[in-house]
Amino acid sequence: MSQFINAKDTLVTDAVDGLLATSGGALARLDGYPHIKVVVRADWDKSRVALISGGGSGHEPAHAGFVGAGLLTAAVCGEVFASPSVDAVLAGILAVTGTAGCLLIVKNYTGDRLNFGLAAERARAFGLKVSMVVVDDDIALPDLPQARGVAGTLFVHKIAGALAQDGADLDTVTAAARSAISGMASIGKSLDTCTVPGSAKEERIAPGKAELGLGIHGEAGIEQVAFTDARTAMDIVLDRLAPRIGDGPHVALLNNLGSTTPLEMSVLAHELAISPKAANIKHIIGPAPLMTSLDMHGFSVSILPVDDATRALLSAPVDLPAWPGMSDISPVATRPLPDGLSPIQPIPSSNPKTRSVIEHACDLLIAAENDLNALDAKSGDGDTGSTLATAARALRGALDRMPLADLTQLFRAVGNELSQTMGGSSGVILAIFFGATGDACANGKPTPQALLAGLDRISQVGGAAKGDRTMIDALAPALAALPKGVGAAAAAARAGADGTATMDRAKAGRASYVPPENLVGHNDPGAEAVARLFEGLAKTL
């Protein structure tokens, strides 16, 4: 897999220097490359308790991204997924620890525990006050003698960091960190493993499966489960966390494990917010990439009970771009649409034959969703089928409130419905088409001529004409042939759609941005949708 790196050997040092160069002078590093990679606060004066964390790289923004006032004082960075050396940790301790002492926040992995632990002993031999806490929040593997430390570590960073920033002593900071560790729990889920630079990717998660409880270094989880959707994925995670969610308010940390898109993370946040299993989760940190696993396509949820004091520490402002802050989970707020945007609702009426035709047309578009998406992927963004199917489902569900016995009002109502439910340029074009058709009917034109008037209107507004490689290449001949019957319209639509495959350039729509060689041999997806619609209707009418 191609990655934006220079070389495996310089990956971490390049990344650390990139962080420092863009920190506005807030961060510095110890001069010990390549073996000692320690990021420190540039403004640190050793007057308060220092907080040091770290471990293998590949979990960014953890840990170096959380060095700053109110969080960490220093981060000790190892190579990717490898613990830093004892000397590196000791260098960090010696660089930032004053008379107030320091707290080491360590994730429960053997290498981290040993290297940070030995460095702490050596620092104490220098006469420094050093405490160490070990985070073991992962509940994925209940029979594991020592649970792993994962994203719940960020709770400790924030709670201890806020106390240290306020001047609390080392014993107080350490006790708060241990209290947080004892109350937290985390578990993750992913659709794919991660890609370690310089190594072959392990392909162990089969398509249609998700792995529950995998580690932040790509370690195998407790089981692979069927993947259906975000709701089920979140439900399974919350089901495992449920025994740890007690009475009273809790905070959840929703962590992006690396390559899950912001859109997906927002969907997962929605599912967490509405789940009955999360009724006591009142606050949330994220969704955000906080402790990642390189490019892992997954997420994790960490939970912690909170009282007023803990809530205040977690919500204390931090001026670091990687820290998203804590927010209350609240019901979705809505406001009424502005005047003029709320459509006039038509008076419903019944016409079984018209209803049947519309239902059949909607079913045809829904059935063609995947085929049209695949076709659109050749010349666009692969969503034509989904856009049409979404509109068809919405229209089918709106039939009970449609004026089915009045074609003039029906065309206008369909246009209004599509303008609200169908995205992209297709929604606007078809809304204009049906609205103009309704207006033509109101002026006394018979249905075939009214439909042609609607076509003329979208050509005027959209600027596309026959020969431009759009849906008009199938729609125009179909409507022209419609007076001869639906069968003739279907044949004309098919000829028009197939003709788009030989056009070497699109002159309108998104396909006009695509190189001509990508288009030849493939029907325009909009024209193909029109052809399939008329062909399907011709078989039943």
Side-chain angles (χ1 to χ4, degrees), residues 200-448:
K201 183 172 183 176
E202 183 182 4
E203 303 286 357
R204 70 168 183 267
I205 304 178
K209 294 284 188 178
E211 191 162 277
L212 180 67
L214 70 177
I216 57 172
H217 308 108
E219 309 98 322
I222 187 171
E223 64 178 318
Q224 290 192 14
V225 297
F227 175 73
T228 52
D229 53 27
R231 178 165 299 166
T232 305
M234 179 59 73
D235 185 70
I236 292 173
V237 165
L238 290 175
D239 188 61
R240 298 303 175 98
L241 289 170
R244 301 293 296 270
I245 302 176
D247 297 332
H250 288 62
V251 57
L253 186 149
L254 181 52
N255 175 48
N256 183 342
L257 282 168
S259 70
T260 311
T261 64
L263 195 63
E264 293 170 279
M265 292 304 299
S266 290
V267 173
L268 289 165
H270 168 66
E271 295 305 331
L272 186 151
I274 65 173
S275 173
K277 296 175 182 176
N280 284 344
I281 296 178
K282 305 298 184 183
H283 317 283
I284 190 166
I285 297 171
L290 295 162
M291 184 171 288
T292 63
S293 180
L294 294 169
D295 61 346
M296 187 178 287
H297 189 182
F299 70 98
S300 67
V301 178
S302 305
I303 54 102
L304 175 71
V306 291
D307 54 19
D308 289 345
T310 305
R311 187 185 299 110
L313 295 171
L314 288 171
S315 60
V318 171
D319 187 20
L320 285 174
W323 184 255
M326 186 175 76
S327 302
D328 294 339
I329 294 177
S330 56
V332 174
T334 61
R335 298 288 185 272
L337 287 172
D339 292 342
L341 286 182
S342 297
I344 299 173
Q345 296 300 321
I347 299 173
S349 58
S350 176
N351 187 313
K353 182 177 180 180
T354 300
R355 184 187 186 102
S356 177
V357 170
I358 296 175
E359 287 178 337
H360 186 45
C362 291
D363 291 342
L364 289 167
L365 293 175
I366 293 169
E369 179 176 2
N370 291 335
D371 288 347
L372 294 176
N373 279 343
L375 192 58
D376 188 37
K378 309 291 184 183
S379 59
D381 53 3
D383 68 348
T384 291
S386 297
T387 299
L388 290 168
T390 298
R393 292 185 185 100
L395 182 57
R396 213 180 190 287
L399 289 179
D400 286 343
R401 48 186 173 81
M402 287 286 173
L404 299 175
D406 184 340
L407 279 182
T408 296
Q409 296 304 319
L410 177 60
F411 284 130
R412 289 169 170 167
V414 170
N416 283 335
E417 184 70 25
L418 294 180
S419 72
Q420 298 175 70
T421 61
M422 190 174 183
S425 58
S426 297
V428 178
I429 288 170
L430 291 178
I432 292 171
F433 172 75
F434 283 107
T437 300
D439 292 342
C441 282
N443 290 327
K445 289 187 177 181
T447 300

Side-chain angles (χ1 to χ4, degrees), residues 14 74 77 82 85 99 103 156 189 229 281 311 399 416 435 504 508 531:
D14 287 348
C77 306
S85 67
T99 57
L103 172 65
V156 185
K189 189 171 189 177
D229 53 27
I281 296 178
R311 187 185 299 110
L399 289 179
N416 283 335
D504 62 358

Side-chain angles (χ1 to χ4, degrees), residues 144-222:
L144 200 66
Q146 294 191 28
R148 301 172 295 201
V150 287
T153 308
L154 279 304
F155 285 137
V156 185
H157 290 176
K158 186 65 180 69
I159 290 169
L163 283 169
Q165 182 71 17
D166 287 343
D169 63 26
L170 182 59
D171 289 342
T172 300
V173 174
T174 303
R178 288 179 176 147
S179 176
I181 292 168
S182 68
M184 70 176 66
S186 301
I187 190 168
K189 189 171 189 177
S190 184
L191 296 174
D192 202 359
T193 55
C194 56
T195 307
V196 179
S199 302
K201 183 172 183 176
E202 183 182 4
E203 303 286 357
R204 70 168 183 267
I205 304 178
K209 294 284 188 178
E211 191 162 277
L212 180 67
L214 70 177
I216 57 172
H217 308 108
E219 309 98 322
I222 187 171

